[in-house]
Amino acid sequence: MAKIKLEYIWLDGYQPVANLRSKTKIIDGEYGSLKLADLPVWGFDGSSTRQAEGKSSDCLLKPVALYPDCTRTNAYLVMSEVLLPNGQPHPTNSRATIPDDEGTWFGFEQEYFFFKNGKPLGFPDDGFPAPQGPYYTGVGYSNVGSIARELTEKHIDICLAAGINIEGINAEVAKGQWEFQIFGKGSKSAADQMWVARYILVRLCEAYGVDVEFHCKPIRGVYNAPLDWNGSGMHSNFSTKHMREVGGKDYFDRLMAAFSKYMDEHIAVYGPENHLRLTGLHETQSIDKFSFGVADRGASVRVPHSFINSGYKGYLEDRRPNSAADPYLVAGRILKTILTVPTK
Ligand code: ADP
Ligand code: MN
Ligand code: MN
Ligand code: MN
């Protein structure tokens, strides 16, 4: 028997973007043989997270995914859903709104900025760094600074040890901006992994005095700069079993018609202040237009060459979700739209 540390992680009730919250529960058990089904439902004070009134403040935490945490001894990260005291999903529980769909795969590309002392990491105390150009996939102190590499390397290792399917990282176009990619089979699983990968990164940065800024246009929207700098997205690549195995041009045309019809419903859950980012510049389509195009990074939905070459089969990339979007809401909305489209 060992003392096992369970870090229960959940999303709070803040709007428009939920914050990650977590707290530790110690249980007695056999480390290594613990299963999700063994984990107790737990609770927290919802009046401190904008999820309940003070008079009746209890909310429940239902474990939904379990990941080993190599940063502590005998520890796990426990992704949890928030339930009302009666066991029903809490209104803030975006995960519970995703339709069941074993066959859907999601690949999320998470862009973000490291921030220190209120500015992107590597920005000088006064003024601004050299304009964008050398930073994307850059190497060298003047391009990536002295901390970001260590942080992103550690992030990969902790995610891999947790069994999270992180696919890669790269330095991005703006100074202090980075990306990682997560791929998962099953919408809930993919989005769970994305939230836990965010959690791992945000927690890792604490000791470095660094914050992770998920705002989609932080240099313009939060921190004023004279030059225009890139924003951050969370491109969402998706495929259903039908898209991978049957597909076809007729189905694709119906799918894109549905995406066009539900444009506003998609934008509503694709992250706050997306109008600052979806301007039609910087490889984006403007927020009030829906378009798709082969290999077109200025379209709302990019159709990979491989999709056309294999007879309209495979995955599509929705480029509109932003870096602060909730992957549960994004995956749920994409699935809801897909489910309106007849397969024949
Ligand atoms: P880019 O930056 O060119 O848009 P990336 O390589 O960063 O492309 O991301 C491509 C994403 O597509 C990855 O996250 C990958 O997991 C995802 N992907 C690949 N195949 C599929 C598929 N069949 N279904 C869903 N997502 C997929
Ligand atoms: Mn990418
Ligand atoms: Mn990118
Ligand atoms: Mn992309």
Side-chain angles (χ1 to χ4, degrees):
M1 285 291 240
K3 292 286 182 189
I4 298 176
K5 302 178 197 111
L6 302 175
E7 192 71 12
Y8 280 61
I9 302 171
W10 73 98
L11 301 181
D12 70 15
Y14 279 63
Q15 293 288 338
V17 196
N19 301 291
L20 285 158
R21 304 275 179 150
S22 76
K23 59 175 184 161
T24 309
K25 183 177 191 64
I26 314 285
I27 61 164
D28 292 311
E30 221 55 72
Y31 189 77
S33 63
L34 201 68
K35 302 265 180 320
L36 185 62
D38 303 331
L39 303 180
V41 170
W42 202 17
F44 67 97
D45 167 16
S47 71
S48 300
T49 60
R50 299 194 182 162
Q51 281 161 312
E53 300 292 328
K55 300 188 284 301
S56 149
S57 63
D58 282 1
C59 291
L60 301 179
L61 289 174
K62 177 189 159 202
V64 293
L66 182 66
Y67 308 91
D69 182 1
C70 70
T71 69
R72 304 161 98 185
T73 49
N74 294 338
Y76 291 97
L77 300 165
V78 181
M79 193 64 202
S80 308
E81 277 188 19
V82 178
L83 305 181
L84 294 165
N86 66 9
Q88 291 301 304
H90 191 278
T92 61
N93 182 343
S94 49
R95 187 181 190 275
T97 68
I98 303 178
D100 276 326
D101 65 308
E102 288 299 300
T104 305
W105 300 352
F106 269 94
F108 296 111
E109 304 169 54
Q110 174 75 63
E111 294 176 338
Y112 62 92
F113 282 77
F114 290 121
F115 259 57
K116 196 172 173 79
N117 300 328
K119 314 182 163 202
L121 191 61
F123 272 45
D125 289 340
D126 295 309
F128 296 88
Q132 294 182 164
Y135 307 126
Y136 170 75
T137 59
V139 61
Y141 170 73
S142 49
N143 290 329
V144 297
S146 58
I147 313 179
R149 186 78 64 189
E150 186 176 333
L151 287 170
T152 56
E153 287 300 312
K154 287 193 169 159
H155 183 233
I156 294 179
D157 287 340
I158 301 166
C159 286
L160 290 176
I164 289 173
N165 198 19
I166 187 167
E167 290 200 311
I169 60 155
N170 58 272
E172 267 299 339
V173 173
K175 189 158 198 182
Q177 188 187 31
W178 288 74
E179 169 177 319
F180 62 87
Q181 303 100 31
I182 299 284
F183 174 77
K185 296 183 176 179
S187 311
K188 286 182 179 173
S189 169
D192 289 340
Q193 293 181 60
M194 174 50 83
W195 271 118
V196 176
R198 285 180 178 180
Y199 177 89
I200 288 169
L201 183 64
V202 171
R203 186 184 64 175
L204 173 67
C205 288
E206 291 168 354
Y208 295 78
V210 169
D211 275 309
V212 183
E213 177 57 72
F214 289 106
H215 191 282
C216 71
K217 200 76 182 181
I219 304 183
R220 225 224 206 111
V222 176
Y223 173 74
N224 285 321
L227 279 174
D228 200 7
W229 293 76
N230 268 40
S232 300
M234 187 182 68
H235 296 167
S236 299
N237 302 272
F238 61 94
S239 63
T240 59
K241 193 164 186 285
H242 186 79
M243 287 168 67
R244 292 190 302 272
E245 293 176 5
V246 183
K249 183 163 187 314
D250 289 350
Y251 180 72
F252 171 77
D253 287 340
R254 290 198 296 277
L255 196 60
M256 288 301 97
F259 269 71
S260 181
K261 178 177 173 193
Y262 293 111
M263 180 178 94
D264 293 343
E265 288 81 354
H266 282 255
I267 292 295
V269 295
Y270 279 3
E273 300 196 276
N274 220 355
H275 62 285
L276 296 174
R277 166 179 165 262
L278 297 181
T279 56
L281 304 171
H282 304 293
E283 304 184 357
T284 67
Q285 174 57 285
S286 37
I287 194 162
D288 55 357
K289 291 200 184 85
F290 176 81
S291 67
F292 59 87
V294 179
D296 183 356
R297 289 168 191 272
S300 315
V301 169
R302 178 174 66 91
V303 184
H305 281 299
S306 62
F307 187 89
I308 305 295
N309 294 341
S310 54
Y312 289 80
K313 272 195 278 197
Y315 75 95
L316 298 169
E317 177 187 47
D318 193 334
R319 299 176 60 78
R320 297 169 296 170
N322 79 30
S323 44
D326 174 351
Y328 293 138
L329 290 175
V330 171
R333 183 61 245 176
I334 288 174
L335 266 164
K336 282 172 199 156
T337 297
I338 290 175
L339 288 171
T340 66
V341 180
T343 49
K344 285 202 177 64

